[in-house]
């Protein structure tokens, strides 16, 4: 044992070979004269800077005059210059040896320098990028090593606005939720999606969100919910939009009637300012200053390496041309999932959709579907245009119809009037559509099978849109995805409807286009019979959200009741909706890939669940041989780097 | 081609070498002089009996005087005696050759007999048993062949009351539902379970039933529901009780407020008589006469063969000593599933249960659980006593707590008063317990893990009950089953709680008893990691109902919306909740058995889902090497025969 508290030629401290916050190549750190490590940690004395330049920068930032600094807070470089020089030489040697930024603990006992430990230092996302690129430029590491130095998740910090460190210092903490979608946002509280416009900057505060809230979610600066996990509706949609979101903040008591939010006795009303950190899950009071995301040239460099070393490519989950463009900018090569139902909630669309649902017979449904056709077609045109040159996977209608009908009497009354029905008839229909477990109910291809006219309309919209964009001279590659298939007969049924409709459109237009038909693999049974399904599917896309729900028997909307307990008590290491459960869900994926390729070696295989943007999951998908992962636009760079590192680690 | 319509020495007919209805060893059948096959089918002319004795019996039953019979409806034996004799010889020869009751089509052309076809004849359950036993006694077939002649499902006809043929002739058909639980029942309509006592013979008519209705279901003669499939609550409970039930009769419009049942414009009120055939799904108007089930000695003979030739044994799913005794009489060797929650709905129990759920802290829950302990203990004592000598598998609490709280304001008010809470507090708690997909929610071992005090109380009740019954000199073999395990850590957690509690009770009582701890395999993930689970489980019991729900992604309560369409349109051949889906769920079962036995060769493996009493599924369970199947009491004989036949077919 050595002692740093043996007098004024003794000291203790921590040094970094580069700046852990910015990545700047400058030796830095803190020390205390006549002290032990505990004293630095305890925070009783103000630690001093090791280098003179560091000390001067510190004094400037703290408003400490130079004479005070020099006398009361001198740098080690000034107070023990010889030992400082020795330490400086040692840190250079250590970095040269380990070829990475080092975090070095040292003690000086009566002028003699002792090193206690050194290790690769923790760093911010910005520093991580800077240091990796600098080390490469300095010739200390090669490109592959530089790439492996990137923790993909940390790139997130570079892609979203953050609160300024100054703002955070004085911020008043209100509550903690799940870091559902990264970024920082301040705004005035609104409790209803259709009131998001009420303030120029609003934060939508809900117990939970539903597809009806989509427009308001888009307008709000950020979203805060009291219920729901990392794959709840709010979380998924917010990530897709690249919008800051904190989910499942259980301590919030939201009263829609009184338009109040109560936390630990304190009440916030509509219009009050609130701030969300979607990267940490923190909720703060008031308006906090944010700083915008800035992508450096080094970020582009890393993307180039990702491109060079990856085997898998990355697509995006996008429902709008805007999302598609953002993702494309980040290097997405196609769309892995367009959810058509997200297009059904605006204005006239939802009316036609509801008319379709409430129709009493085929003719009624066809009439309503005919109204939806032009909306769908023009939506698809926008997306095809945005993804010119790349494949676009469009999923046929998936959610249970109950999600589209109004549940409040006033809206039901309105719908009844529009449709010439009585309120009771509408209520009856809504009641009939209710399900005990909608997740396992009448949804996915079960809708397209019992109502083939829906699949017909959607296929027509896709093929017509594709031909229209092709006519503009663009390269359109539509991929029609049948959801929730568990039995090859289901896909066969839908395949027939799709092919027949496409042929009809081709004849009408006297033109054709190449398209693929595949299926989403999200029901456990589909993995077991993937050899049969592979015989008629042109691609598989794993829906790992639902596959996780069914394989584990966890409803993602309800798991909040036990999942936190499971994680806190070591029953689960991580949330399986965030990080793919390799032993369970992963085994199913592996089985499906093996089975599917056994009968169809050319089967294209990807994944479009939320796991597509999570590095450990991406690594697994690389290992089992998937062709691509698809994720929300702002996760694309992360997935790209993760895929490339996975390929370097598991060649 | 030959012609039976060439004059009075020509004829056509169908003969049976034995009676297809009773099994009596008597040649019989019908014919028409001067006719072709179509004439017999068309029903314009009354067919005549082939034999004299048959003709006389017919005349007696129809009240036709002997002279009329002889002149207008003579037997073939009388009208064409030589040809008759030839036919009689031929039928003997054919049965001797095929060694089974034959259904023979013949035509007589100008006195010459031509045989058109012959095949093994269809028969009733009673005839099936009689004929198989007679053929054996006549030395025509051996025991194994006789056993294979039994269609296990047809034994059902022998185990339940049926409507008399006379009553059925004049019965007025009302509606058709699913044949959810066999038997015949007439009674007066009641719409609420707690009013089942209102009439001496009542039929409970509900949109659907819930655990709260249990007592009333027990009192009613039969149960009729408008919603729900073969594994809905009503169906499962009714089969367990051996009570007649017709489920999911979609054409019924039930109005609880007005206490009416409307079908196709006709309205039935409370107190009106109605009759159900649970074996066919038919609902009739009025009161129909029934005849009781009568088990012949031959039935016992078949059970003996089943015993002799089976590899698997059969247990029963039973929640009460009465059920256990019935099943034991049918040859059940132990209980494969006791659902403890079914014991929670009577009187004081449900109050204590609700007190436990609404308690705000551990102490509150423990106080309420202490009240439940004596109830549970005495229930378990009854069951242990009834199954003296055999293993009894008791499943720890499984359903989500939401099922136990009252959902109507009046009851909530009462509960609030009982517990000294406000109505709002009770409503809030009930609201908090609601789940989007309760089937995948906070239930099964997730309850026992987040509230270990529940598992403690249940374990104490089981072990104390076992010691009490052991003290009476009986042989008690408790098996504690942890439900819904998907991760070995879950089982490990519960195992610790169980073992610690058992050790405590052993010390208190200064006595011990051998018990097993195992798990229900019902989550797909459990099958994938069964090697891990097998290392600490002493038995696996497949919960194929839930395993089917999750593997296929079919909610059994909601599948009624698409399953009938799937079956009618050939997407599925059968209802996977009735007949095990071998390619999907079966593969999971196979995987779990293989994985489990790979780490624990002594693992006991059984199944306690509804499939345990379905012959094709039982065959599959035999093939994959299960040790036992467990089913509702009235399915035990069926499962026993199915298991034995499976062993003969797949030795």
């Amino acid at each position: 044992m050595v002692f740093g508290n043996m007098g004024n030629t003794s000291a203790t401290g921590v040094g970094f070979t580069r700046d852990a916050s910015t990545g700047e190549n400058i030796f830095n750190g803190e020390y205390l004269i006549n002290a032990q490590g505990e004293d630095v940690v305890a925070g009783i004395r103000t630690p001093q800077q090791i280098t003179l330049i560091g000390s001067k920068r510190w004094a400037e930032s703290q408003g400490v005059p130079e004479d005070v600094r020099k006398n009361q807070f001198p740098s080690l470089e000034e107070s023990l210059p010889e030992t400082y020089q020795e330490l400086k030489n040692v840190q250079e040697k250590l970095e040269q040896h380990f070829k990475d930024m080092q975090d070095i603990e040292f003690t000086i006992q009566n002028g003699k320098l002792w090193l206690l430990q050194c290790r690769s230092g923790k760093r911010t996302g910005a520093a991580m990028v800077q240091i990796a690129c600098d080390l490469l430029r300095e010739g200390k590491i090669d490109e592959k090593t530089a790439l492996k130095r990137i923790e993909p998740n940390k790139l997130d910090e570079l892609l979203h606005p953050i609160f300024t460190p100054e703002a955070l210092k004085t911020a008043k903490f209100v509550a903690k939720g799940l870091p559902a979608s990264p970024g920082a946002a301040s705004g005035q509280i609104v409790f209803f999606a259709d009131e998001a416009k009420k303030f120029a900057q609003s934060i939508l505060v809900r117990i939970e969100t539903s597809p009806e809230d989509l427009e308001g979610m888009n307008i709000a600066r950020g979203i805060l919910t009291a219920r729901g996990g990392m794959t709840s509706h709010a979380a998924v949609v917010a990530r897709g939009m690249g919008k800051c979101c904190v989910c499942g903040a259980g301590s919030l008591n939201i009263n829609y009637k009184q338009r109040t939010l109560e936390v630990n006795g304190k009440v916030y009303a509509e219009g009050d300012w609130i701030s969300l950190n979607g990267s940490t899950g923190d909720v703060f009071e008031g308006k906090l200053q944010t700083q915008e995301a800035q992508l450096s040239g080094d970020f582009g460099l890393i993307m180039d390496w990702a491109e060079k070393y990856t085997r898998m490519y990355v697509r995006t989950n996008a429902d709008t041309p805007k999302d598609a463009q953002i993702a494309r900018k980040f290097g997405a090569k196609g769309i892995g999932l367009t959810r058509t139902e997200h297009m059904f909630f605006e204005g006239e669309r939802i009316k036609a959709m509801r008319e379709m649902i409430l129709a009493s017979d085929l003719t009624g449904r066809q009439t309503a579907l005919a109204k939806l056709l032009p909306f769908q077609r023009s939506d698809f045109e926008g997306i095809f245009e945005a993804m010119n040159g790349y494949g676009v996977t469009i999923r046929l209608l998936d959610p249970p119809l109950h999600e589209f009908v109004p549940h409040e009497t006033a809206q039901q009354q309105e719908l009844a009037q529009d449709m010439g029905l009585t309120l009771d008839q509408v209520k009856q229909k809504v009641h009939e559509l209710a399900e005990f477990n909608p997740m396992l109910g009448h949804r996915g291809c079960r809708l397209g099978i019992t109502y083939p006219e829906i699949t017909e309309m959607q296929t027509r919209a896709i093929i017509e849109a594709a031909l229209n964009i092709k006519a503009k001279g663009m390269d359109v590659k539509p991929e029609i995805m049948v959801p929730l298939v568990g039995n090859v007969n289901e896909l066969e049924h839908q395949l027939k409807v799709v092919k027949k409709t496409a042929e009809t459109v081709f004849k009408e237009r006297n033109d054709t286009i190449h398209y693929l038909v595949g299926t989403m693999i999200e029901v456990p049974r589909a993995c077991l019979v993937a050899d049969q399904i592979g015989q008629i599917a042109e691609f598989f896309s794993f829906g790992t959200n639902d596959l996780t729900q069914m394989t584990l028997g966890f409803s993602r909307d309800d798991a909040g009741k036990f999942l936190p307990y499971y994680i806190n008590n070591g029953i689960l290491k991580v949330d399986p909706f965030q990080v793919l459960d390799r032993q369970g869900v992963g085994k199913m994926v592996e089985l499906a890939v093996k089975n599917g390729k056994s009968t169809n070696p050319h089967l294209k295989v990807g994944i479009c669940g939320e796991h597509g943007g999570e590095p450990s999951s991406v690594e697994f998908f690389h290992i089992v041989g998937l062709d691509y992962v698809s994720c929300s636009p702002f996760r694309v760079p992360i997935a790209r780097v993760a895929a490339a590192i996975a390929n370097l680690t598991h060649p």
Side-chain angles (χ1 to χ4, degrees), chain A:
Chain A
M1 174 133 184
V2 290
F3 297 88
N5 53 358
M6 306 266 291
N8 284 339
T9 57
S10 296
T12 195
V14 179
F16 297 89
T17 61
R18 295 177 192 237
D19 191 306
S21 171
T22 65
E24 188 182 357
N25 185 2
I26 188 171
F27 179 45
N28 67 101
E30 296 178 331
Y31 80 107
L32 275 175
I33 288 282
N34 196 13
Q36 282 291 76
E38 307 90 81
D39 303 317
V40 183
V41 178
I44 301 163
R45 291 166 59 187
T46 304
Q48 294 153 234
Q49 295 297 308
I50 292 177
T51 62
L52 179 55
I53 182 168
S55 185
K56 285 190 168 169
R57 283 183 185 178
W58 167 83
E60 198 184 327
S61 82
Q62 300 294 311
V64 175
E66 176 59 12
D67 55 337
V68 178
R69 183 201 69 75
K70 206 170 172 178
N71 291 321
Q72 291 182 28
F73 308 105
S75 65
L76 187 68
E77 195 170 351
E78 295 158 293
S79 56
L80 295 169
E82 276 172 38
T83 325
Y84 166 77
Q85 197 54 48
E86 195 187 348
L87 179 63
K88 189 161 186 298
N89 295 341
V90 164
Q91 66 88 17
E92 266 167 28
K93 205 169 185 173
L94 283 170
E95 191 185 272
Q96 185 62 37
H97 178 80
F98 289 108
K99 300 191 192 313
D100 195 8
M101 184 267 272
Q102 295 299 301
D103 163 344
I104 300 161
E105 290 182 28
F106 63 91
T107 285
I108 300 165
Q109 181 175 313
N110 293 328
K112 182 168 170 57
L113 176 66
W114 299 86
L115 293 190
L116 306 186
Q117 74 169 20
C118 92
R119 56 185 168 186
S120 282
K122 292 198 191 309
R123 61 204 79 176
T124 64
M128 170 185 77
V129 169
Q130 182 77 49
I131 293 171
C133 293
D134 283 351
L135 286 170
L136 174 69
R137 280 185 287 258
E138 293 159 18
K140 288 184 178 153
I141 57 177
D142 64 9
E143 218 169 67
K144 290 182 184 178
T145 309
L147 181 56
K148 284 205 248 179
R149 289 282 165 79
I150 304 299
E151 273 180 63
N153 268 335
K154 276 205 176 151
L155 293 175
D156 221 16
E157 294 172 23
L158 309 178
L159 301 171
H160 301 277
I162 54 171
F163 290 123
T164 61
E166 294 73 30
L168 281 177
K169 262 181 204 151
T170 55
K172 190 170 168 259
F173 177 82
V174 172
K176 183 126 189 146
L178 296 168
S181 180
S186 287
Q188 290 174 274
I189 296 175
V190 294
F191 291 100
F192 299 93
D194 54 7
E195 297 177 358
K197 283 183 198 151
K198 211 161 177 174
F199 308 106
Q201 285 172 257
S202 64
I203 298 285
L204 177 62
V205 178
R206 301 280 306 165
I207 295 172
E208 62 231 350
T209 63
S210 74
E212 297 174 89
D213 300 332
L214 216 66
E215 204 182 332
M217 292 169 77
N218 208 354
I219 294 165
R221 291 290 169 108
I223 298 148
L224 170 63
T225 70
R227 275 212 221 166
M230 291 296 285
T231 53
S232 62
H233 178 265
V236 172
V237 170
R239 280 199 294 277
M241 293 173 171
K243 185 163 308 253
C244 168
C245 174
V246 173
C247 266
S251 61
L252 307 186
N253 289 308
I254 295 168
N255 189 323
Y256 287 139
K257 221 185 216 167
Q258 299 176 6
R259 301 182 175 228
T260 57
L261 161 66
E262 183 267 328
V263 198
N264 297 325
K266 171 119 198 206
V267 177
Y268 301 88
E270 184 181 274
D272 286 352
W273 282 84
I274 199 168
S275 298
L276 310 180
N277 186 341
S279 309
T280 61
D282 290 330
V283 181
F284 301 103
E285 204 174 282
K287 185 177 179 177
L288 301 188
Q289 212 188 336
T290 57
Q291 60 190 44
E292 282 308 303
Q294 283 168 336
L295 293 181
S296 68
D298 283 350
F299 181 83
L301 204 56
I302 287 164
M303 290 301 117
D304 290 345
W305 304 340
E307 187 67 25
K308 187 169 168 186
Y309 293 109
T310 194
R311 180 188 61 73
M312 293 195 295
Y313 58 101
V314 176
R315 289 182 156 194
T316 191
N317 300 345
D319 304 339
T320 64
K322 191 184 144 209
D323 283 354
Q325 278 147 5
I326 293 170
R328 211 174 162 154
K329 222 177 54 192
F330 285 138
K333 294 183 173 173
I335 292 182
L337 176 64
T338 288
R339 302 173 197 88
T340 55
E341 61 271 15
H342 284 186
M343 304 168 164
F344 283 153
F345 281 94
E346 281 169 45
E348 287 302 305
R349 301 169 179 218
I350 188 67
K351 274 175 77 170
M353 185 68 188
R354 288 172 174 171
E355 196 182 317
M356 195 276 290
I357 294 170
L358 268 73
S360 56
D361 59 10
L362 177 62
T363 317
R365 279 194 298 277
Q366 281 172 331
T367 308
L369 285 165
K371 293 182 193 167
L372 283 169
L373 175 66
F375 293 125
Q376 289 248 295
R377 186 174 51 221
S378 96
D379 285 337
F380 296 145
E381 283 171 0
I383 286 182
F384 286 141
E385 213 159 345
M387 268 296 160
N388 177 18
Y390 289 118
V392 172
T393 309
I394 296 172
R395 178 176 70 182
L396 299 178
L397 189 66
D398 183 55
L401 300 182
H402 194 241
E403 285 191 12
F404 298 97
V405 291
H407 299 118
E408 279 163 33
T409 302
Q411 284 184 288
Q412 290 175 340
Q413 181 67 59
E414 198 180 316
L415 179 60
Q417 272 164 7
D418 283 354
M419 290 205 55
L421 295 173
T422 67
L423 177 60
D424 267 359
Q425 284 172 317
V426 171
K427 278 194 180 301
Q428 171 70 15
K429 187 75 189 179
V430 170
H431 177 71
E432 277 170 27
L433 288 170
E435 294 183 303
F436 293 99
N437 295 288
M439 158 69 202
L440 309 176
H442 194 185
R443 51 171 286 237
C445 67
R446 299 163 196 174
L447 289 173
I449 290 170
T450 48
Y451 303 115
E453 54 275 14
I454 298 177
T455 302
E456 274 168 31
M457 181 281 281
Q458 293 204 294
T459 304
R460 177 172 280 274
I462 293 167
I463 299 292
E464 288 185 353
L467 291 174
N468 291 347
I469 301 306
K470 180 190 166 194
K472 287 191 183 177
M474 285 188 249
D475 182 14
V476 186
K477 297 177 173 167
E479 303 177 0
I480 298 175
M481 179 155 72
V482 180
L484 212 70
V485 164
N487 186 308
V488 68
N489 295 338
E490 292 176 317
L491 182 58
E492 200 162 19
H493 178 287
Q494 291 289 281
L495 201 58
K496 270 187 205 153
V497 177
V498 168
K499 293 225 156 140
K500 200 178 152 200
T501 308
E503 287 306 318
T504 307
V505 176
F506 290 162
K507 265 185 211 152
E508 287 169 10
R509 305 284 290 254
N510 199 22
D511 193 4
T512 66
I513 195 156
H514 182 67
Y515 65 97
L516 303 180
V517 183
T519 179
M520 196 143 166
I521 301 283
E522 51 191 330
V523 174
R525 192 183 193 276
C527 302
L528 302 168
V529 298
D531 48 344
Q532 295 171 25
I533 298 174
Q535 287 180 317
I536 59 168
E538 289 172 292
F539 63 87
F540 282 177
S541 177
F542 287 97
T544 52
N545 300 351
D546 278 5
L547 192 57
T548 299
Q549 294 198 84
M550 292 184 227
T551 303
L552 274 58
F554 285 3
S555 160
R556 66 183 178 190
D557 294 316
D558 304 310
K561 292 192 174 146
F562 58 89
L563 210 47
Y565 185 96
Y566 268 36
I567 293 169
N568 292 336
N569 290 273
I571 290 178
L572 289 178
K573 286 207 187 72
V574 288
D575 179 345
F577 291 110
Q578 289 182 55
V579 179
L580 189 88
D581 159 41
R582 292 190 187 197
Q583 294 189 340
V585 182
K587 184 91 61 155
M588 294 302 274
V589 170
E590 213 178 335
L591 208 60
V593 172
K594 206 188 93 203
N595 285 343
K597 294 206 169 178
S598 75
T599 54
N600 181 356
H602 303 296
L603 192 71
K604 181 160 79 167
V605 190
I607 175 257
C608 62
E610 285 290 309
H611 300 97
E614 190 283 318
S616 145
S617 313
V618 170
E619 181 189 47
F620 178 82
F621 298 132
H622 167 83
I623 294 172
V624 298
L626 262 49
D627 297 305
Y628 70 86
V629 299
S630 184
C631 57
S632 54
F634 282 88
R635 301 294 294 181
V636 168
I638 295 162
R640 290 178 63 199
V641 172
I645 294 177
N647 194 28
L648 292 178
T649 317
H650 308 273

